[in-house]
Amino acid sequence: MKRDFISITDAGNRLSSLITSAVKLKAELRRGTGHVKQKPLSGMNVGLIFEKSSTRTRVSFEVGINQLGGNALYLSSKDLQMGRGETVADTARVLSRYVDCLVYRAYENRLMRELAGHSTVPVVNALDDTEHPCQILADLMTIREKFGKLKGLKLAYVGDGNNVCHSLMLGAAMSGVNFVAATPSAYAPSEKIGQMAASISLENRCSIEVITDPQIAVRKANVVYTDVWVSMGQEAEKDEKEKVFMPFQVNSRLMALADSHAIVMHCLPAHRGMEITDDVLDGRQSVVFDQAENRLHAQKALLVWLMKR
Ligand code: CP
Ligand code: NVA
């Protein structure tokens, strides 16, 4: 049966070993050994369907697929017949006859699931309105690289209860990381995802909390994470959101409350001076460019797992 990666939970009990594989692929790339020579995706094609803009996801997938010996096809939804009304289901049925895997950045999780439901090849969620699991795979890898472990750490997410927050909450629960999100009450993460994370956390003996006070959230945190206040597709809410979210800015005053060895994370792109200040984003605690780099390694590990015959 084909495997999809629509939610970070689709990694199941493979999550930790996927991170280990990603670390190995990273070392191999530096040394020019292993997959660099063996090209595990040789002769295989991956279609990348994008409905929204992207810098990191698009480039890290294209480069990663090439490094694995495969071929990447960038397919903007505007240029596909999908942009003129062909259904996602029919697009899935057709593209499955040509390619070995589909990576999809979608506006709606419903359409992501429709593509996966009608595709006979693995489907990878490259971000939708509910989750951003590839990002969180790279982020967990980055945290493990920095601290040598995940279990028992405290991660504070400050900002909008959005797609990144959802995958992070689930990924933390799966990894034994104590997670707290501080969001304005009107922008809290989905209750359904919160309940799912809470139930996963029971098995891994960690805590999952959602509160509204960023100062309480970051207290003694090992990791402070933020993301944009206005996600792609929410542009009309910009003015209103910017007012409500200002007390949730990650700045040096907030960082002073975290553990003194804490790292700061952001999936990027950042809106400097809004959710995060320049001094924090460019400061000694920031690991944002390691996170961006690790997208490459983590997604390669994911593709090898999903596509191996
Ligand atoms: N973090 C992330 O997914 O960035 P892009 O939108 O540039 O792909
Ligand atoms: N929450 C952001 C993440 C961008 C990578 C968005 O959906 O636009």
Side-chain angles (χ1 to χ4, degrees):
M1 240 224 349
K2 66 144 180 160
R3 284 190 202 101
D4 299 312
F5 188 65
I6 307 295
S7 165
I8 187 75
T9 56
D10 292 331
N13 54 19
R14 289 287 301 233
L15 182 58
S16 176
S17 62
L18 272 174
I19 297 171
T20 305
S21 308
V23 171
K24 185 167 163 257
L25 293 173
K26 184 172 182 174
E28 286 179 0
L29 185 64
R30 300 263 199 273
R31 290 196 304 259
T33 58
H35 75 284
V36 181
K37 299 240 162 67
Q38 289 150 9
K39 310 274 183 213
L41 297 192
S42 167
M44 299 179 104
N45 291 287
V46 182
L48 310 175
I49 308 171
F50 278 70
E51 290 179 0
K52 304 181 190 177
S53 309
S54 171
T55 297
R56 281 142 289 269
T57 308
R58 176 185 176 174
V59 178
S60 57
F61 266 111
E62 287 199 24
V63 171
I65 291 161
N66 286 325
Q67 288 173 353
L68 292 167
N71 179 47
L73 295 97
Y74 177 74
L75 306 165
S76 161
S77 63
K78 285 200 276 299
D79 301 329
L80 294 172
Q81 294 287 10
M82 220 169 95
R84 296 179 55 245
E86 184 166 21
T87 66
V88 169
D90 284 348
T91 304
R93 292 180 180 110
V94 171
L95 293 180
S96 294
R97 303 280 178 115
Y98 303 136
V99 301
D100 303 286
C101 180
L102 286 168
V103 172
Y104 183 27
R105 171 164 285 195
Y107 276 102
E108 293 177 53
N109 183 259
R110 178 181 65 81
L111 295 179
M112 181 67 63
R113 294 196 180 275
E114 186 172 327
L115 190 86
H118 293 88
S119 154
T120 54
V121 298
V123 170
V124 174
N125 182 351
L127 180 147
D128 62 23
D129 56 353
T130 306
E131 279 206 52
H132 195 3
C134 295
Q135 178 68 51
I136 274 44
L137 195 58
D139 295 341
L140 293 171
M141 172 187 178
T142 309
I143 300 170
R144 203 168 95 179
E145 280 181 333
K146 302 295 170 192
F147 292 96
K149 62 171 188 177
L150 289 168
K151 225 176 182 42
L153 295 175
K154 175 179 175 183
L155 188 156
Y157 175 93
V158 178
D160 189 19
N162 61 17
N163 45 8
V164 168
C165 176
H166 290 157
S167 294
L168 200 54
M169 183 188 256
L170 293 166
M174 293 166 77
S175 307
V177 171
N178 298 305
F179 175 93
V180 51
T183 71
S185 51
Y187 297 98
S190 134
E191 272 181 36
K192 188 172 151 219
I193 292 183
Q195 281 163 9
M196 212 188 298
S199 103
I200 298 170
S201 73
L202 293 177
E203 293 159 36
N204 298 310
R205 295 163 197 258
C206 58
S207 56
I208 302 291
E209 281 177 281
V210 177
I211 61 173
T212 53
D213 187 334
Q215 275 138 16
I216 293 176
V218 302
R219 200 170 287 161
K220 295 204 165 77
N222 304 103
V223 181
V224 177
Y225 198 121
T226 189
D227 181 21
V228 290
W229 296 335
V230 182
S231 285
M232 289 181 275
Q234 300 179 335
E235 289 73 14
E237 297 169 49
K238 183 171 180 287
D239 291 346
E240 190 191 324
K241 281 189 115 175
E242 283 181 359
K243 271 186 239 141
V244 178
F245 278 88
M246 218 56 212
F248 292 79
Q249 183 184 68
V250 174
N251 52 35
S252 53
R253 280 191 311 283
L254 191 70
M255 284 310 299
L257 304 174
D259 185 84
S260 57
H261 300 292
I263 59 171
V264 177
M265 302 184 79
H266 191 308
C267 61
L268 302 179
H271 289 84
R272 289 167 175 266
M274 303 305 287
E275 75 273 5
I276 190 161
T277 52
D278 281 327
D279 58 333
V280 173
L281 193 71
D282 299 326
R284 65 176 176 85
Q285 291 168 291
S286 169
V287 300
V288 299
F289 299 111
D290 296 322
Q291 279 177 267
E293 178 189 333
N294 284 342
R295 295 292 302 278
L296 175 71
H297 313 298
Q299 288 159 193
K300 282 163 70 178
L302 178 71
L303 291 176
V304 170
W305 175 50
L306 296 176
M307 294 174 71
K308 78 179 169 211
R309 286 182 259 228

